[in-house]
Amino acid sequence: MQYAFPLLAIFIWAGNTVVNKMAVGSIFPAEIGFYRWLLAALLFSPFLLRPVIANRAAIRPHLGKIITLGVLGMVAYQSLAYYAATLTTATNMGIILSLMPLMSLALAIVSLGQRLTAGALSGAALSFIGVLVVVSAGNLASLLTHGVNLGDGMMLGATLAYAVYSTLLKKWQLRLPPLQLLYLQILVAVVVLFPLYWLSPKVGPNLHNAGLVLYACLLASMLAPLVWMKAVARLGPSRTVLFFNLLPILTALIAAVVLREQLAVYHLLGGAMTLGGVILSERWTTPLRKAARVLRP
């Protein structure tokens, strides 16, 4: 039963990647991003506004960090993903997003002093090649001629933003109740996204896009973080993050069923390499210097 929590969260987030793609043509990226967090803020406020006000003395010293986290995790990551969905496939987005744990590991090595392992180095190389295979549609030579698809580039930027968010969250270790911290970041997202929403073209909520907004809000923004926190509390962060490796597989399967996206050989090859690199980085924890001494003739 304890594995149901991380599995549910990953399934919801995989579905949300497909929802990002389904939103194209039904609602503008700036709209769904703003509506999603506004609705989440309205639903959370009856339960969290009063506790946050009561806890304002503890919150005030961390306001700058909370704003930074909100901008990275709620604004930059999701906004870039919505715009990326207009230019690339949900399958590509899921495979690129699977780089997030590896990016977080690399940032932890740089900023948190975590040891560089043989698995991290070799896994990074393998995953990087895997993503190149996907974004080049299996033709690596085309990257030299045409470069990376703008949508894939945006998704790489979104993934990096969330990796930085995760690293800062771990580095700062803000001693605030998790739900209050989530609520405050949602409020930051509403404030920061409002100008973009105001200046962007709008179609407004309707029967065609209301379900997409509700999924993004109720499931991806509220339920998934809650069950993920439950998973971390029960399994620990290191065991919970392993479930993130299922994200590209679930995304590709949901996209194939819902969007009729075709899985090409390069998706399977690149996805397997990316996933293998992440698993290698997590499992092969021998320090790099020690591994070099063992391999040295």
Side-chain angles (χ1 to χ4, degrees), residues 99-110:
L99 279 176
M100 197 275 288
L102 197 59
M103 287 183 174
S104 298
L105 177 60
L107 291 169
I109 290 170
V110 173

Side-chain angles (χ1 to χ4, degrees), residues 62-70 72 112 164-176 181:
H62 304 300
L63 276 179
K65 293 177 179 178
I66 291 169
I67 292 171
T68 300
L69 291 172
L72 285 170
L112 303 180
V164 174
Y165 166 83
S166 301
T167 303
L168 291 178
L169 202 59
K170 184 175 181 180
K171 182 177 182 178
W172 289 337
Q173 293 185 350
L174 304 182
R175 299 190 180 280
L176 297 172
L181 182 58

Side-chain angles (χ1 to χ4, degrees), residues 228-284:
W228 190 257
M229 288 178 197
K230 281 274 191 182
V232 170
R234 293 190 175 204
L235 299 174
S238 58
R239 290 174 66 193
T240 303
V241 78
L242 293 175
F243 286 85
F244 206 87
N245 297 331
L246 296 172
L247 184 65
I249 301 168
L250 288 174
T251 301
L253 291 175
I254 297 171
V257 173
V258 177
L259 302 176
R260 299 292 190 268
E261 288 188 3
Q262 297 297 314
L263 281 176
V265 173
Y266 67 82
H267 283 128
L268 300 176
L269 177 60
M273 293 175 71
T274 304
L275 181 60
V278 174
I279 294 173
L280 185 63
S281 69
E282 292 170 345
R283 294 296 187 181
W284 190 11

Side-chain angles (χ1 to χ4, degrees), residues 33-45 48 66 69-71 73-75 165 178-193 217 220-222 225:
F34 178 72
Y35 292 149
R36 166 189 186 168
W37 296 120
L38 177 62
L39 183 56
L42 293 174
L43 292 174
F44 269 137
S45 289
L48 290 170
I66 291 169
L69 291 172
V71 169
M74 311 300 181
V75 177
Y165 166 83
L179 274 180
Q180 290 188 26
L181 182 58
L182 174 63
Y183 175 63
L184 288 166
Q185 291 173 72
I186 289 172
L187 294 181
V188 169
V190 172
V191 173
V192 173
L193 285 171
C217 172
S221 301
M222 299 177 71

